[in-house]
Amino acid sequence: MNNLRHLISPLDLSLKEIDKILSLAATIKENPKSYSKKCEGLKLATLFYEPSTRTRLSFETAMLNLGGSIIGFSDAANSSVSKGETVSDTMRIINCFADICAIRHNKEGAALVAASKATIPVINAGDGGHQHPTQTLTDLNTIRSLKGRLSGLKIGFCGDLKFGRTVHSLIHALVRYPDNEFVLISPDELRVPAYIRDDVLIHSGVKFTEVQRLEDSLSDLDILYMTRVQKERFFNEEEYIRLKDRYILDKEKMKLAGPEMLILHPLPRVNEIATEVDDDPRAVYFKQVEYGVYARMALILFLLGKEDTSC
Ligand code: NCD
């Protein structure tokens, strides 16, 4: 394929390209039927070496909505990985079977390794505690659709900012828009890694603060991005147990937030948002899932070079 493109990190897309993808996602949402045959005869492979509900099914739904087909595995134990096959070799096989692929792996950098052997577009659907660029497109699509802008926002990230790959990718993306400000709310043990604090936040010169108390930050946020403590990335279970319920957003705390503040969460939720908050109009984490399907439909079309073709 000419002009082969992959999506491994949000930085693989220029702001203009992100805008194009999000605009396409909005157009698809308005008129999904006219996109229902765009990928006829094409296959998406989903290679999921790590558990997933939303991301894999969202990719598969996106491709089916475009009229394409899907192949893949949702559990590495059912693939030749259990026999010792490397990601590189698996990718060489998938090149022969599919037109585009999405890969999730517990090792940081696995998607990049796959891309180095790929002759089809590779999408990183999460690599360890590193990046998750399609969750970022989902989050940007949600914010842009519901707030009408991606700049001039005060965004609070709360929870596991150390291992939360969705946080790393979204910060990477949002620092590129003007006048955004960040409040990073976490226990000391789960602060953002140095490569995000130094190389992204400090390097880009954005305004940010690191705090421990959620209550003190709620009153002037435009977005609150809640995250789960990433149990599977902890070396020590006791530490996980000690930290897992540190932040619980409930109705009482929501009284401290402004009427326009949106609550996002990449899901799955564990305890960090009480279910009593779900009916609050500011809670948009289930809507976010729907925005994710449109964002992935647009991304698939973009990577396959089909975003400009007429219906
Ligand atoms: C996130 C992930 O896998 O990083 N989930 C998702 O893709 N929607 C967040 C998480 O698992 O906590």
Side-chain angles (χ1 to χ4, degrees):
M1 183 189 288
N2 290 331
N3 302 322
L4 178 60
R5 295 283 302 265
H6 307 293
L7 180 63
I8 307 303
S9 135
L11 296 181
D12 293 338
L13 297 169
S14 68
L15 283 189
K16 212 168 151 197
E17 287 171 334
I18 292 178
D19 194 52
K20 194 170 182 178
I21 292 169
L22 298 181
S23 298
L24 179 57
T27 311
I28 297 172
K29 185 173 191 289
E30 287 311 303
N31 195 355
K33 278 227 167 72
S34 61
Y35 291 84
S36 64
K37 294 189 170 152
K38 284 269 194 179
C39 287
E40 251 178 6
L42 298 176
K43 287 191 210 81
L44 164 81
T46 49
L47 317 179
F48 275 63
Y49 296 81
E50 246 196 355
S52 167
T53 305
R54 253 154 313 278
T55 305
R56 185 174 59 82
L57 296 182
S58 174
F59 268 114
E60 296 186 355
T61 303
M63 191 53 162
L64 293 171
N65 286 351
L66 292 166
S69 320
I70 49 171
I71 58 169
F73 53 83
S74 57
D75 180 356
N78 293 334
S79 76
S80 280
V81 180
S82 61
K83 302 181 187 169
E85 186 168 67
T86 61
V87 166
S88 297
D89 281 2
T90 302
M91 190 63 234
R92 287 191 170 103
I93 309 307
I94 300 301
N95 284 333
C96 309
F97 295 155
D99 302 281
I100 184 165
C101 98
I103 175 169
R104 167 170 288 191
H105 202 286
N106 59 324
K107 291 251 165 56
E108 289 79 5
L112 191 62
V113 170
S116 72
K117 302 292 179 221
T119 56
I120 60 173
V122 172
I123 303 169
N124 179 8
D127 62 329
H130 189 218
Q131 297 279 350
H132 193 345
T134 65
Q135 182 63 44
T136 298
L137 289 176
T138 300
D139 302 336
L140 295 179
N141 194 24
T142 309
I143 297 170
R144 186 180 186 259
S145 302
L146 299 177
K147 281 274 178 211
R149 66 187 198 279
L150 291 170
S151 54
L153 295 166
K154 187 163 183 181
I155 306 118
F157 287 91
C158 177
D160 187 346
L161 311 189
K162 179 179 180 184
F163 296 118
R165 55 195 174 191
T166 63
V167 171
H168 306 159
S169 289
L170 188 55
I171 290 177
H172 251 298
L174 284 172
V175 294
R176 299 165 80 192
Y177 294 88
D179 304 323
N180 285 331
E181 185 179 337
F182 301 85
V183 184
L184 307 175
I185 309 153
S186 75
D188 201 38
E189 297 86 337
L190 298 177
R191 287 167 66 196
V192 284
Y195 78 89
I196 296 291
R197 186 174 31 256
D198 300 344
D199 304 348
V200 183
L201 291 160
I202 295 178
H203 183 77
S204 61
V206 294
K207 223 169 143 187
F208 76 97
T209 48
E210 293 188 270
V211 300
Q212 299 212 359
R213 272 173 56 85
L214 172 60
E215 293 84 339
D216 301 344
S217 312
L218 283 168
S219 67
D220 61 347
L221 293 179
D222 297 300
I223 307 282
L224 173 63
Y225 195 91
M226 290 297 292
T227 63
R228 155 183 89 88
V229 177
Q230 306 277 300
K231 182 178 182 192
E232 64 276 33
R233 314 254 179 252
F234 276 73
F235 292 114
N236 173 340
E237 188 164 357
E238 271 165 38
E239 172 117 312
Y240 167 72
I241 292 168
R242 187 166 60 77
L243 295 170
K244 74 182 172 68
D245 292 328
R246 180 68 166 267
Y247 301 105
I248 299 183
L249 183 67
D250 55 16
K251 266 193 171 164
E252 211 40 46
K253 290 198 188 77
M254 281 306 291
K255 289 183 187 156
L256 302 169
E260 306 292 330
M261 185 195 81
L262 299 181
I263 314 163
L264 273 71
H265 190 308
L267 302 177
R269 164 215 1 227
V270 187
N271 283 332
E272 58 281 355
I273 304 179
T275 51
E276 64 184 17
V277 177
D278 295 355
D279 295 330
D280 189 308
R282 295 167 289 183
V284 297
Y285 30 91
F286 291 115
K287 272 192 198 155
Q288 203 177 333
V289 177
E290 194 192 334
Y291 284 111
V293 175
Y294 298 118
R296 290 186 174 97
M297 288 172 77
L299 176 69
I300 290 171
L301 291 174
F302 175 81
L303 291 177
L304 289 173
K306 289 178 156 293
E307 78 278 19
D308 291 325
T309 52
S310 58
C311 308

